[in-house]
Amino acid sequence: MDLKLQLARAQTRRELLKQGGVGLGAIALSALLQREGAAAPKPAPAPRRAPSPLQPKRPPLPAKAKRVIYLHMSGAPPQLDLFDYKPKLVELHMQECPKELLQNQRFAFIQGTPKLLGSPYKFKQHGQGGAWMSELLPHLSGVADDIAFVKSMHTDQFNHAPAELFLYTGSARAGGAAMGSWITYGLGSESQELPGFVVLISGGTDPTGGKALWSTGYLPSVYQGVQCRTTGEPILYVNNPKGMDREVRRRSLDTLRQLNEAELQQFGDPETLTRIEQYELAFRMQMSVPDAMDIGKEPQQIREQYGAQPGAASFANNCLLARRLVERGVRYVQLYDWGWDTHGTGPGDDIVTALPRKCKDVDQPIAALLKDLKQRGMLDDTLVIWGGEFGRTSMNEARGGSKYLGRDHHPHCFTVWLAGGGIKGGVTHGATDELGYFISEGKTGIHDLQATILHLLGLDPWKLAYPYQGLAQRLIGPEGEAQIRKEILA
């Protein structure tokens, strides 16, 4: 019988009365037989436990990375002030932008003929690879040889929410499955005491794309990202309600599990299995999450290395927490740091006042994270990724005649970097033209980045799929157009 028809029948009053009648008759018969001594009570058979969908799975392909830490700078950091050094742009600072760069172009806020904006910051080459890096990132410059820079990223989205959705779900529309959900769907989790996919937020608010960025979409909801907080309860609604202790909670969950497993056996709905797993995981997390989230247990030297302070809601704390979480087997940790939307409408979002402050917030913790993972022997199989959702323009935005320096949204080129798990450190892939406006070599799309990440984890980007709406849905899109960037692989 069709599953939908079974579910519909199970919800009708007629079916309830039918099943209820059978149940009452069985109770009456059992009582009569016992009265006559014809049926002695027998112990109920132990229920067959359904396997957890988050059990670790062997990757189908050889894997260089076992886990991922993705550092997302929400708002899109200006690559021309951090990594993509353009002396010609500095030379032409505040001259009118060439008309050929403006023809048939759409901007979020720029109007008229804007002026070119050279970076006000000094650049130097670092490491044996000679990577160009801004003076705003002195700590990160010290680990340049562990990093592969991709300076030729591009996207087809120039507004924040659609661009972030495209980056993390493969679609610019809400409803897709997040990268962390895809990865835990394909590999499970090495920890059965913590969520397989954890989200940490700093900067004072959620990323522009909102909680859809860690949604499970059409995948079973057991692969949903779980947001953890650094202040108050780490995860909401995990603790026992008033009047219920851990022993009572355990007995309640055992009873609920039996009921849910009976329903699973009858209807086979995967969401029932999700419900079982989420109840059990929440129970285990009551003990494991407070321990994992307590950075006060770290040596003072380590906390100082990150610039972390127990109890604070900061990017530094989240970097240290990311290391603690992957150390305990969490498969995918996503950090979102909001506040990188440097339009230059005022001192709160310009590249002279706001950008140095944001760089100071992240520079030391990121460098500490890479060094800490390396010192513990974990960087070799932990993939660390840094970036935003698109780039920033080579021109000054000057919205409404603003005198503050800032850059508009720019989808044609931006920079991301990767380190660890299977990445060749000290290399730079791709380049942009002398004004940092268009890609000149090594063009790399969003789906290319996604395919490369999955490949490093031992997952086939084209075979990792889920049937939905008549299509084989993939992180790289149902059409499957992507290229693994082997130029940055070790």
Side-chain angles (χ1 to χ4, degrees), residues 114-160:
K115 295 181 178 180
L116 295 172
L117 177 56
S119 179
Y121 301 107
K122 296 178 181 179
F123 280 73
K124 289 183 180 180
Q125 288 180 284
H126 296 273
Q128 294 183 356
W132 286 100
M133 297 180 71
S134 166
E135 62 181 323
L136 292 175
L137 302 168
H139 292 89
L140 194 63
S141 299
V143 293
D145 280 338
D146 291 321
I147 294 172
F149 295 92
V150 181
K151 295 187 177 180
S152 52
M153 288 296 304
H154 69 96
T155 179
D156 57 12
Q157 301 296 320
F158 65 90
N159 284 321
H160 296 291

Side-chain angles (χ1 to χ4, degrees), residues 9-10 12-28:
R9 282 189 57 187
T12 63
R13 287 178 293 176
R14 181 175 298 173
E15 188 70 15
L16 173 63
L17 291 171
K18 176 183 174 182
Q19 296 294 339
V22 172
L24 291 172
I27 292 171

